[in-house]
Amino acid sequence: MAILEIKNLKKSFGKTEVLKDISFSMEKGEAVSIIGSSGSGKTTFLRCINFLEKADSGTILLNGNEIFNGENKHTMSSADIRKNQLNFGFVFQQFNLFPQYNVLENVTLAPRLLAKERPDFKTNKKAIYKEIEENALSLLEKAGLKEKINNYPCQLSGGQQQRVAIVRALALNPEIMLFDEPTSALDPELTNEVLNIIKDLVDKDMTMIIVTHEMNFAKNVSDRVVFMDDGYIVEEGSPDEIFTNPKSERLKEFLSNTKV
Amino acid sequence: MFITVTLSLLEGLWTTFKIFSLTLLMALPLGLIISLGSMSKIKVIKWPIKTLIWVIRGTPLMLQLIVFGFGPGLLGIDGMSTFVAVMIAFVLNYACYFSEIYRGGIEGIPKGQYEAGTVLGLTKTQIFFKIVLMQVIKRIIPPMSNEFLTLVKDTSLANTIMIYEITWNAKRFMNSAHILWPLFYSGLFYLAFCGILTLLFGYIEKKLDYYKG
């Protein structure tokens, strides 16, 4: 069974139709790259998956359970939205770390707040907090950020900030990671340190969707590549099919304008 | 004479300080509530509050003091002390100014901060108190320090409805002893008060300097 199944997703902003009719599904452990020119709807698609934007119509199923249906989008309770959102880890182009907290606090803030909703929180507070901190420290160490745990975001390079942002998302154990152009705001020399972390996750069979302009990354790391254009998924397939044997004219044109 | 004047002004300073601190104590939280109301999407909340802010900021504080000082008496309501009237006028006036400063601070927080909180499963309340508020405070320190200094000097307006603060006490010597210098001398009290506040704000700004953004 597909871990994520999306049917006929549509989204407009005012009169601009951004997503025209998107159907998509993915298996557990798959890493899917979404490519396409700016304005093709890639980011909006990603944001609709975890409700940062509410689609106008269509359905989203996670492990076979409907977590979104355009028919009753107005009656969705904010508690349900919140609960479903936690199935996804989201990494932003602009990192969006919390500037007033140091690296460790950025990573532990959400797990600590969520722990308060656990029934055993009052009796186990200390142990729970300790576990959260140990988990954060081990994730930070794997991301090569052990030396930086007491630093504030403004003291870090863009690449380090984005690595913290990835760890922050991972700390909540999401089922699916969503990356929205994670390297687009970085200097070219810093992109690799972020891409390497994402590659590590791919190697560990983390399920993920990456919206990216890094064609080499899409080609070499992902299991499947989706090409979007003008609000539609125009073509999808293995990296090989997409990059060496594109079928649609639009994709051929896109690839000829992009250095691979 | 100098000692008499000094003691009298010090007594006035206590009243000035009381108006100042009580106004802050009440207007700072009230201002936050008003600012949230003025940004509300619900029109029946938003527009009355916007109107209130317009009226309060659009009329002189001295006039507001007179309205709250003498208005209740004219309406036949007795028993409200002048000091309470002063406090109502000051708290309302400053809460409205503070609310606009808060609004600027809150609207200046990048959307990404809210979104980052949302995708991490934080509730709206948690996002506001754990993420946004601290950043708002840092942003509003400079305009707030202006308001605090203005408030120190605005307390002198309370003398229009017979509150015995520094300026009232200084003016009293002008009328009774026909001397002007206590009035000039009172300026030093305000100056010292504001000097301390300026140092305090400098300290807070430095304390919050550990991060940017």
Side-chain angles (χ1 to χ4, degrees), chain A residues 98 100-101, chain B residues 28-29 32-33 35-36 102-103 105-106 109 113-114 124-141 208 211 213:
Chain A
F98 307 128
Q100 75 269 39
Y101 294 123
Chain B
L28 284 171
L32 186 58
I33 295 167
S35 93
L36 294 176
Y102 284 128
R103 189 170 65 85
I106 292 171
I109 302 296
Q113 292 290 309
Y114 293 92
K124 278 187 176 160
T125 323
Q126 287 171 336
I127 291 173
F128 185 75
F129 285 104
K130 298 281 175 182
I131 299 172
V132 175
L133 189 60
M134 182 77 166
Q135 296 178 42
V136 170
I137 289 171
K138 184 178 162 101
R139 278 161 193 257
I140 64 176
I141 294 278
L208 290 176
Y211 75 88

Side-chain angles (χ1 to χ4, degrees), chain B residues 24-213:
Chain B
L24 290 183
L25 198 69
M26 291 184 270
L28 284 171
L30 182 64
L32 186 58
I33 295 167
I34 293 178
S35 93
L36 294 176
S38 75
M39 288 183 285
S40 171
K41 283 175 192 149
I42 305 162
K43 281 183 182 156
V44 286
I45 296 178
K46 181 178 177 168
W47 290 109
I49 287 184
K50 286 258 180 201
T51 312
L52 174 77
I53 296 174
W54 170 59
V55 171
I56 295 291
R57 296 202 309 164
T59 53
L61 176 55
M62 194 193 274
L63 187 58
Q64 292 163 20
L65 282 163
I66 291 167
V67 167
F68 287 107
F70 301 128
L74 291 176
L75 294 172
I77 303 161
D78 286 330
M80 195 169 96
S81 80
T82 332
F83 190 74
V84 172
V86 165
M87 286 322 300
I88 294 174
F90 270 96
V91 168
L92 205 55
N93 186 281
Y94 272 81
C96 284
Y97 279 98
F98 289 159
S99 80
E100 288 292 278
I101 293 178
Y102 284 128
R103 189 170 65 85
I106 292 171
E107 287 178 347
I109 302 296
K111 206 173 129 211
Q113 292 290 309
Y114 293 92
E115 290 188 345
T118 307
V119 299
L120 291 169
L122 272 58
T123 61
K124 278 187 176 160
T125 323
Q126 287 171 336
I127 291 173
F128 185 75
F129 285 104
K130 298 281 175 182
I131 299 172
V132 175
L133 189 60
M134 182 77 166
Q135 296 178 42
V136 170
I137 289 171
K138 184 178 162 101
R139 278 161 193 257
I140 64 176
I141 294 278
M144 274 296 179
S145 82
N146 259 341
E147 287 300 314
F148 278 41
L149 296 191
T150 309
L151 174 58
V152 170
K153 292 160 290 170
D154 272 358
T155 56
S156 65
L157 289 171
N159 86 77
T160 47
I161 57 169
M162 289 175 290
I163 291 292
Y164 307 146
E165 43 65 66
I166 304 179
T167 302
W168 172 281
N169 284 5
K171 269 166 75 181
R172 210 182 54 189
F173 289 103
M174 194 172 72
N175 298 332
S176 61
H178 304 287
I179 44 172
L180 206 52
W181 64 263
L183 211 47
F184 300 138
Y185 181 35
S186 74
L188 290 181
F189 285 74
Y190 289 108
L191 205 55
F193 199 158
C194 288
I196 294 167
L197 283 178
T198 308
L199 290 176
L200 194 69
F201 270 102
Y203 173 78
I204 296 172
E205 262 182 60
K206 222 174 180 173
K207 269 256 154 179
L208 290 176
D209 218 25
Y210 71 89
Y211 75 88
K212 291 191 186 74

Side-chain angles (χ1 to χ4, degrees), chain A residues 46-243:
Chain A
L46 202 67
R47 290 166 63 89
C48 282
I49 296 176
N50 79 334
F51 318 119
L52 276 176
E53 308 288 352
K54 260 193 208 172
D56 300 327
S57 63
T59 53
I60 302 175
L61 282 83
L62 183 77
N63 291 317
N65 301 315
E66 189 175 276
I67 57 169
F68 177 84
N69 188 332
E71 307 256 300
N72 50 28
K73 60 176 182 289
H74 298 297
T75 56
M76 283 167 80
S77 76
S78 55
D80 277 347
I81 294 176
R82 231 186 107 217
K83 200 184 90 209
N84 290 326
Q85 241 158 359
L86 281 170
N87 294 307
F88 303 96
F90 199 97
V91 174
F92 299 89
Q93 184 179 349
Q94 301 293 343
F95 332 134
N96 294 338
L97 294 181
F98 307 128
Q100 75 269 39
Y101 294 123
N102 69 26
V103 167
L104 185 61
E105 289 164 340
N106 259 283
V107 177
T108 55
L109 177 74
R112 284 171 71 108
L113 289 171
L114 286 165
K116 288 185 181 171
E117 292 166 30
R118 281 168 59 161
D120 60 339
F121 177 71
K122 278 198 177 131
T123 46
N124 268 339
K125 191 173 165 180
K126 267 195 180 152
I128 290 172
Y129 279 167
K130 192 162 171 255
E131 191 191 316
I132 288 170
E133 184 167 327
E134 278 167 3
N135 180 43
L137 287 171
S138 110
L139 287 168
L140 285 165
E141 190 174 351
K142 280 180 208 151
L145 292 159
K146 204 187 170 193
E147 314 295 313
K148 302 288 178 190
I149 57 168
N150 293 317
N151 286 65
Y152 289 89
C154 63
Q155 300 166 319
L156 303 178
S157 72
Q160 289 166 337
Q161 289 192 50
Q162 190 61 300
R163 276 146 64 198
V164 175
I166 293 170
V167 169
R168 183 174 70 172
L170 290 172
L172 292 170
N173 289 320
E175 265 198 88
I176 302 178
M177 282 290 283
L178 306 173
F179 294 90
D180 183 17
E181 302 191 25
T183 59
S184 296
L186 298 174
D187 292 339
E189 54 193 312
L190 298 176
T191 53
N192 276 336
E193 61 181 75
V194 171
L195 293 179
N196 286 337
I197 300 262
I198 300 176
K199 191 175 173 302
D200 283 347
L201 294 174
V202 176
D203 292 341
K204 282 178 203 144
D205 288 332
M206 180 91 208
T207 313
M208 66 173 84
I209 303 176
I210 314 155
V211 168
T212 185
H213 291 296
E214 292 288 329
M215 292 305 143
N216 276 321
F217 186 81
K219 190 177 177 184
N220 300 325
V221 178
S222 44
D223 302 311
R224 183 152 54 106
V225 179
V226 169
F227 172 64
M228 278 184 71
D229 188 55
D230 193 29
Y232 294 103
I233 291 179
V234 176
E235 204 169 327
E236 60 181 309
S238 70
D240 232 27
E241 288 168 337
I242 294 289
F243 287 101

